[in-house]
Amino acid sequence: MRTITTPIIPTHQTFAKVNAPHELHLEAICVFAAIGFFLDRDTYWKDQAVLSPASQHTLDGDGYLIDSEPWFKWHNTPQAISFNDTLDAFSELFETIVKEQTNGKQVILPLSGGLDSRTQAVALKQLDADVFSYSYAFENGYPETKIAQLIANTCGFEFEDYVIPKGYLWSVIDDLTNINNCYSDFTSPRQMAVINNLQGKGDVLSLGHWGDVLFDSMNLPQLSFEETVEVLPKKLIKRGGLEFAQALWQYWGLQGNFMDYFRSRISGLLSKIDIEDTNAKLRAFKSLYWAPRWTSVSLSTFKRIAPISLPYYDNRLCEFICTLPEYYLTGRQLQIAYIKRYAPALAKITLQDHRPFHLYNYHFDKVPYNLPYRFLKKMQRVISSIKGLPYVQRNWELQFLGRSNQEELLKRINDRDFNDFIPKELVTTYNNEFFNKDTLQYAHPMNMLLVLSQFYKTQVHG
């Protein structure tokens, strides 16, 4: 026997065998099709499970899971503490974590125009770390690298910028399939386009994943349990995902209907979280089930570059969040106050989600104050579109659209063997809807069809 202890937010999936028939878990695959990640311990197979977070697991000598006991449970026990004292505590804890993860190493820091990596930049600057930073932008997209470069220059970090090019996916898709084992879509981890540029740039990657969830509120009113069960699926299901999941459910002849099954799964998982406050309860839900099964899956691509560290994943930071009054987390207050306190020059650099505003005036990002900027940006997009350079906001636009991309995509999802798993008529329907009618509505189903085709080719038919 052996024991495996998983952290509060695992950085990778750990698989174990369970006693069940070796069959495809079709209900779980339908959930995957709807929301883009597998729920709870689910995998593609009924006789395989992923070890739950924050638990101690006992496995027998053959790798079968015998028992799991949680060593930590998310809670909401806010302390009577002032905001300044909270900021002091956060500053000390965050910098301690970052120092432990990076001390004496050359750090590779991905920078964006948002708050999480900017908060890391402040901590690394405070610690006088040796930092190589980089950023990337979509070809014909918003040049977020300009904001990142301003942050790097202000901190004195080395910096390089990259462009995510059109159609890179098809040269790396087989490698990416091996990396994520088809537990995530292939267009979300856009870092796959630039990892060759980052080889040898440092000793450790400091990643800012999950800061936006821990240090913000969902701004929901207090809801009953039943209301929460109704709200959560709307936050989880991707555009076009429900229709796609229902189509698969019907084709595979599964009992009942998909939404009843999905709602019952959500209800069961929510009932295990002993937190009354709606926003804190949903933060815990996302940290238990979304972070380990979606966010962490994409981390495997970064491991091709260097060992990774994630300050926001640290057990101590998760435990710290459970002790804070919810209103201290609303609107990213702690991160904003931290940046303003220790790096006012960084606070004056444009915040990407509120451009052209920064941390001292972002509250003016509303009508009528933001109308001139919105009008200017719209005119720029119109002009670019007239020139035949449509504005790109999402990676799938660069990887799926255009003749050569379309040929590569269809070659994979129209495979005859794959049609034994997903019927040709369903694939054809989504092809037509995506390429001829509404790309935005049907992009997620196309992403899922590509993932499922790679899964079937490599793990079932292969």
Side-chain angles (χ1 to χ4, degrees):
M1 289 193 191
R2 63 184 175 122
T3 299
I4 298 176
T5 301
T6 49
I8 295 175
I9 305 180
T11 60
H12 61 276
Q13 301 181 116
T14 302
F15 295 90
K17 300 174 186 176
V18 293
N19 286 305
H22 183 63
E23 300 171 355
L24 287 170
H25 193 335
L26 298 178
E27 292 87 352
I29 295 172
C30 286
V31 173
F32 178 53
I35 65 178
F37 60 92
F38 281 86
L39 201 55
D40 194 18
R41 304 192 312 163
D42 291 353
T43 72
Y44 282 101
W45 303 99
K46 290 183 178 179
D47 60 345
Q48 185 186 59
V50 166
L51 299 185
S52 302
S55 299
Q56 191 172 72
H57 310 275
T58 304
L59 282 69
D60 70 14
D62 295 321
Y64 282 87
L65 181 62
I66 298 173
D67 185 50
S68 295
E69 287 292 333
W71 63 264
F72 169 85
K73 291 187 177 182
W74 286 86
H75 58 95
N76 181 228
T77 52
Q79 306 298 304
I81 184 172
S82 70
F83 184 80
N84 279 337
D85 287 345
T86 302
L87 178 57
D88 290 341
F90 166 71
S91 304
E92 181 179 359
L93 176 58
F94 190 71
E95 290 178 13
T96 296
I97 292 168
V98 172
K99 183 176 181 179
E100 288 176 4
Q101 293 179 346
T102 63
N103 196 28
K105 301 172 183 176
Q106 184 177 31
V107 181
I108 304 174
L109 176 66
L111 283 173
S112 71
L115 285 172
D116 294 328
S117 62
R118 194 176 310 207
T119 305
Q120 288 170 273
V122 174
L124 290 164
K125 177 67 174 173
Q126 290 284 101
L127 297 167
D128 197 28
D130 179 11
V131 177
F132 166 82
S133 60
Y134 73 92
S135 185
Y136 33 59
F138 292 131
E139 183 180 317
N140 299 325
Y142 176 74
E144 67 178 271
T145 52
K146 291 183 178 179
I147 300 176
Q149 181 152 27
L150 285 173
I151 295 170
N153 291 346
T154 302
C155 292
F157 298 160
E158 184 182 353
F159 178 81
E160 288 184 7
D161 63 329
Y162 309 112
V163 173
I164 305 297
K166 191 170 186 175
Y168 78 82
L169 177 63
W170 311 112
S171 65
V172 302
I173 189 167
D174 290 332
D175 195 21
L176 189 51
T177 298
N178 291 329
I179 292 172
N180 72 13
N181 288 310
C182 300
Y183 278 92
S184 170
D185 70 87
F186 298 131
T187 61
S188 292
R190 54 180 180 162
Q191 64 270 13
M192 195 66 185
V194 304
I195 58 173
N196 290 336
N197 301 90
L198 299 171
Q199 299 295 336
K201 296 293 188 180
D203 305 313
V204 62
L205 267 154
S206 183
L207 304 175
H209 297 68
W210 217 242
D212 58 332
V213 175
L214 294 183
F215 288 92
D216 201 1
S217 178
M218 296 188 187
N219 298 313
L220 289 170
Q222 185 60 32
L223 303 175
S224 67
F225 180 82
E226 292 73 19
E227 290 171 327
T228 306
V229 172
E230 291 300 314
V231 164
L232 187 52
K234 298 173 185 177
K235 294 186 173 292
L236 293 175
I237 295 175
K238 303 289 189 183
R239 182 185 280 112
L242 177 57
E243 177 187 333
F244 184 47
Q246 288 173 327
L248 293 178
W249 190 277
Q250 184 174 5
Y251 170 72
W252 287 328
L254 301 176
Q255 290 188 347
N257 67 75
F258 171 74
M259 271 310 295
D260 285 345
Y261 172 81
F262 184 55
R263 200 176 284 112
S264 70
R265 291 293 305 277
I266 294 297
S267 177
L269 295 175
L270 276 173
S271 66
K272 296 177 183 178
I273 301 173
D274 187 18
I275 296 175
E276 290 298 321
D277 183 276
T278 298
N279 291 288
K281 192 179 190 77
L282 292 184
R283 182 184 300 110
F285 180 94
K286 293 183 73 172
S287 298
L288 279 165
Y289 305 113
W290 192 322
R293 302 307 309 274
W294 188 79
T295 306
S296 293
V297 172
S298 294
L299 299 179
S300 51
T301 57
F302 287 104
K303 294 175 185 176
R304 288 292 183 94
I305 304 164
I308 62 173
S309 64
L310 293 106
Y312 298 108
Y313 269 42
D314 191 273
N315 287 344
R316 290 163 292 180
L317 207 56
C318 295
E319 292 167 340
F320 176 67
I321 289 294
C322 294
T323 68
L324 300 185
E326 185 66 27
Y327 52 86
Y328 287 175
L329 299 173
T330 304
R332 315 290 293 274
Q333 290 182 72
L334 272 177
Q335 288 172 300
I336 291 171
Y338 175 73
I339 295 167
K340 285 181 175 180
R341 174 187 281 187
Y342 295 108
L346 284 188
K348 293 178 181 177
I349 295 173
T350 300
L351 189 60
Q352 184 169 321
D353 288 343
H354 293 280
R355 55 188 187 267
F357 303 100
H358 49 66
L359 297 186
Y360 289 101
N361 63 5
Y362 68 95
H363 51 282
F364 285 115
D365 185 16
K366 57 185 178 182
V367 175
Y369 307 107
N370 58 7
L371 285 177
Y373 179 80
R374 289 169 59 182
F375 176 76
L376 175 63
K377 290 291 119 179
K378 184 173 183 179
M379 291 303 299
Q380 289 175 343
R381 290 195 293 270
V382 169
I383 293 170
S384 293
S385 183
I386 291 172
K387 292 180 179 179
L389 299 171
Y391 183 71
V392 173
Q393 300 182 67
R394 308 163 189 89
N395 196 18
W396 59 259
E397 296 173 88
L398 289 173
Q399 310 315 318
F400 290 172
L401 301 181
R403 178 174 294 180
S404 61
N405 282 335
Q406 183 175 350
E407 289 174 355
E408 291 283 357
L409 176 58
L410 295 184
K411 179 172 67 177
R412 287 163 176 83
I413 65 176
N414 283 331
D415 180 82
R416 183 179 300 174
D417 293 323
F418 178 53
N419 292 149
D420 292 336
F421 183 42
I422 308 292
K424 182 177 178 61
E425 50 272 29
L426 184 60
V427 174
T428 300
T429 296
Y430 278 98
N431 287 344
N432 292 334
E433 296 289 346
F434 177 73
F435 287 111
N436 301 322
K437 295 183 180 179
D438 191 338
T439 56
L440 185 60
Q441 178 65 25
Y442 293 98
H444 173 73
M446 294 301 283
N447 255 314
M448 291 293 98
L449 281 171
L450 180 59
V451 172
L452 293 173
S453 71
Q454 288 293 107
F455 162 74
Y456 194 76
K457 180 178 78 172
T458 58
Q459 299 184 45
V460 180
H461 184 262

